[in-house]
């Protein structure tokens, strides 16, 4: 019973001072942050492709993947803005299984949180140096955000975290776009309440400090499907679902405190695909078709989230297939590259 206090970990400031960024990385981040903000405010009509592995478990494979993404980005830069998924912490429904690089820099060894914090910071630095692109990560632990806050350009709050007060309030102080996923049970009102909370100012306790945030106008929805009471995966990416989300935004904006920058990213995997990774191709095209059918939906949908890696599918920890997910199954590189070009052609 109780806690065993193993070791006191360095603060974010201490880790950032030990592994600082240089002026070149800072310039890349400033430019990328502006590009993403412009997408969400409507100043830019570029379409976001937030794409990458379910979990970034191996730095060499991740950097290899990002090099490939960089080459694609150069060819479609006028239409599509690629934001690589470099997810370093993973939610686990039952608490069992690989929890990401922040817990286990080596998935086959025991957790080492200090080594994990160093490993994820180094990997995100190397990701920018390799690809020229700042990345997305999941804010699984709000108190850990500042270990990477000078490196990330996009943050997602997962379906299991979206009701949590600390996630909502921390998101209100993040100066980059934050996507709030609908909860696993599918209640859109929960997601909307999370967006409302994050777009407003709050005073609260954070890492031992009393802090005040200004509110984050770039907080938005992510539709990822849901699971009904019978355990069935129910998608929510169809035209009718997007129209329903529009109506929720309209209801929120009829209040005395309207939301800024109504927007959604559609997650093509998870319960939208039933974790059938190849379905992401069809789902992505379906969403783009809905955008063509409605000017309002076209304005609302800012991009797609796609789980992709070098090899199709997934594997168990210890099987050592290079570039293959050890968590949820992902779309392999050849299919992913083709899909990104098709997305650009369909815009």
């Amino acid at each position: 019973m109780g806690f065993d206090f193993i070791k006191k970990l360095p603060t974010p400031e201490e880790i950032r001072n030990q592994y600082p960024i240089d002026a070149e990385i800072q310039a890349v981040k400033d430019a990328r942050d502006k590009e993403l903000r412009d997408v969400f405010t409507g100043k830019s009509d570029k379409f976001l492709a937030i794409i990458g592995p379910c979990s970034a478990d191996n730095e060499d494979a991740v950097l290899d993947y990002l090099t490939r993404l960089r080459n694609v980005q150069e060819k479609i830069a006028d239409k599509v803005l690629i934001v690589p998924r470099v997810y370093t912490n993973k939610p686990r429904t039952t608490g069992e299984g690989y929890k990401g690089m922040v817990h286990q820099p080596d998935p086959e060894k025991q957790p080492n949180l200090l080594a994990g914090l160093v490993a994820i910071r180094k990997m995100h630095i190397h990701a920018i140096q390799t690809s020229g692109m700042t990345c997305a990560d999941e804010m699984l632990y709000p108190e850990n955000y500042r270990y990477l806050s000078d490196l990330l350009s996009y943050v997602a709050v997962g379906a299991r975290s979206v009701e949590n007060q600390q996630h909502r309030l921390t998101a209100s102080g993040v100066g980059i776009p934050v996507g709030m996923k609908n909860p696993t049970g599918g209640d859109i009102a929960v997601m909307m309440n999370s967006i409302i909370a994050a777009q407003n100012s709050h005073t609260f306790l954070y890492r031992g400090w009393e802090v005040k945030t200004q509110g984050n106008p770039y907080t938005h929805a992510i539709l990822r499907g849901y699971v009904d009471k019978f355990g069935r995966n129910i998608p929510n990416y169809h035209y009718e679902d997007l129209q329903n989300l529009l109506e929720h935004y309209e209801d929120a904006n009829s209040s005395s405190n309207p939301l800024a920058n109504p927007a959604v990213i559609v997650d093509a995997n998870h319960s939208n695909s039933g974790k059938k990774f190849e379905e992401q191709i069809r789902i992505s095209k379906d969403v783009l078709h809905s955008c063509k059918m409605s000017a309002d939906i076209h304005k609302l949908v800012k991009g797609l989230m796609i789980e992709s890696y070098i090899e199709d599918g997934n594997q168990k920890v210890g099987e050592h297939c290079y570039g293959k997910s050890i968590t949820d199954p992902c779309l392999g590189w050849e299919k992913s590259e083709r899909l990104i070009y098709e997305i650009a052609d369909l815009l």
Side-chain angles (χ1 to χ4, degrees):
M1 298 292 289
F3 291 87
D4 290 331
F5 288 81
I6 300 168
K7 66 174 74 123
K8 185 172 178 58
L9 296 173
T11 66
E13 183 179 18
E14 290 168 337
I15 292 285
R16 286 164 63 155
N17 287 340
Q18 189 174 1
Y19 302 96
I21 62 172
D22 57 24
E24 185 175 351
I25 289 178
Q26 185 65 61
V28 171
K29 176 166 166 58
D30 290 346
R32 292 269 295 177
D33 286 358
K34 182 181 184 303
E35 278 193 284
L36 264 80
R37 287 194 294 265
D38 285 351
V39 169
F40 284 97
T41 60
K43 292 180 181 178
S44 168
D45 62 358
K46 288 185 181 181
F47 193 79
L48 298 180
I50 304 170
I51 184 169
C54 176
S55 58
D57 57 89
N58 177 288
E59 182 174 310
D60 289 341
V62 168
L63 297 183
D64 179 352
Y65 177 86
L66 263 61
T67 299
R68 303 178 192 208
L69 274 186
R70 180 194 63 202
N71 295 333
V72 174
Q73 174 67 101
E74 291 171 355
K75 297 174 183 176
I76 57 172
D78 59 326
K79 290 184 176 182
V80 177
L81 181 60
I82 294 176
V83 183
R85 282 173 51 109
V86 179
Y87 276 31
T88 59
N89 31 192
K90 296 298 299 177
R92 312 305 301 190
T93 302
T94 65
E96 297 296 320
Y98 176 66
K99 298 181 180 68
M101 187 177 282
V102 71
H103 279 263
Q104 293 171 269
D106 184 334
E108 296 183 58
K109 294 183 179 178
Q110 291 298 308
N112 185 331
L113 276 295
L114 176 56
L117 290 171
V118 171
I120 66 172
R121 183 161 178 86
K122 283 184 173 181
M123 182 163 62
H124 272 284
I125 289 173
H126 296 158
I128 300 171
Q129 291 170 334
T130 298
S131 69
M133 297 184 285
T134 46
C135 302
D137 205 338
E138 181 167 351
M139 189 167 69
L140 182 58
Y141 306 109
E143 65 273 20
N144 286 356
Y145 168 69
R146 292 192 62 81
Y147 287 106
L148 298 175
S149 59
D150 56 338
L151 295 166
L152 301 176
S153 283
Y154 186 93
V155 170
V157 173
R160 300 164 188 81
S161 303
V162 72
E163 290 192 75
N164 180 268
Q165 180 89 333
Q166 192 77 352
H167 284 82
R168 294 177 174 190
L169 303 192
T170 302
S172 73
V174 173
I176 58 174
V178 177
M180 298 291 193
K181 289 196 172 186
N182 64 261
T184 53
D187 190 340
I188 297 299
V190 168
M191 179 183 69
M192 295 305 298
N193 288 338
S194 187
I195 295 168
I196 291 167
Q199 288 206 7
N200 284 284
S201 172
H202 300 280
T203 300
F204 61 102
L205 178 67
Y206 185 73
R207 295 194 62 87
W209 286 77
E210 178 182 341
V211 299
K212 182 175 181 179
T213 60
Q214 301 305 310
N216 183 354
Y218 312 108
T219 313
H220 58 277
I222 300 177
L223 294 180
R224 48 87 74 199
Y226 60 97
V227 178
D228 71 9
K229 64 181 181 180
F230 301 108
R232 297 174 300 199
N233 288 299
I234 308 296
N236 60 6
Y237 63 84
H238 294 108
Y239 183 95
E240 296 79 7
D241 299 300
L242 297 169
Q243 188 65 43
N244 179 55
L245 180 59
L246 264 175
E247 292 169 6
H248 275 81
Y249 266 117
E250 288 168 0
D251 289 344
N253 286 341
S254 65
S255 70
S256 59
N257 186 21
L259 291 171
N261 309 315
V264 65
I265 299 293
V266 177
D267 181 345
N269 212 16
H270 295 98
S271 289
N272 271 332
S273 69
K275 295 189 179 180
K276 297 175 181 176
F277 65 92
E278 290 180 314
E279 285 292 288
Q280 294 182 100
I281 299 169
R282 179 189 58 77
I283 291 166
S284 297
K285 294 176 182 178
D286 190 290
V287 172
L288 290 171
H289 179 71
S290 294
C291 292
K292 288 187 180 296
M293 293 298 101
S294 166
D296 289 336
I297 288 177
H298 181 271
K299 184 177 179 181
L300 179 72
V301 176
K302 302 300 183 182
L304 292 160
M305 185 173 284
I306 299 164
E307 290 196 319
S308 156
Y309 211 177
I310 294 170
E311 298 294 336
D312 274 339
N314 62 347
Q315 63 181 326
K316 294 179 181 179
V317 173
E319 291 186 353
H320 301 149
C321 180
Y322 178 79
K324 192 171 188 176
S325 175
I326 61 170
T327 46
D328 288 350
C330 295
L331 200 63
W333 175 251
E334 290 182 5
K335 296 183 181 75
S336 300
E337 181 182 30
R338 190 181 312 121
L339 176 59
I340 297 170
Y341 287 134
E342 288 175 344
I343 288 170
D345 289 339
L346 290 168
L347 292 174

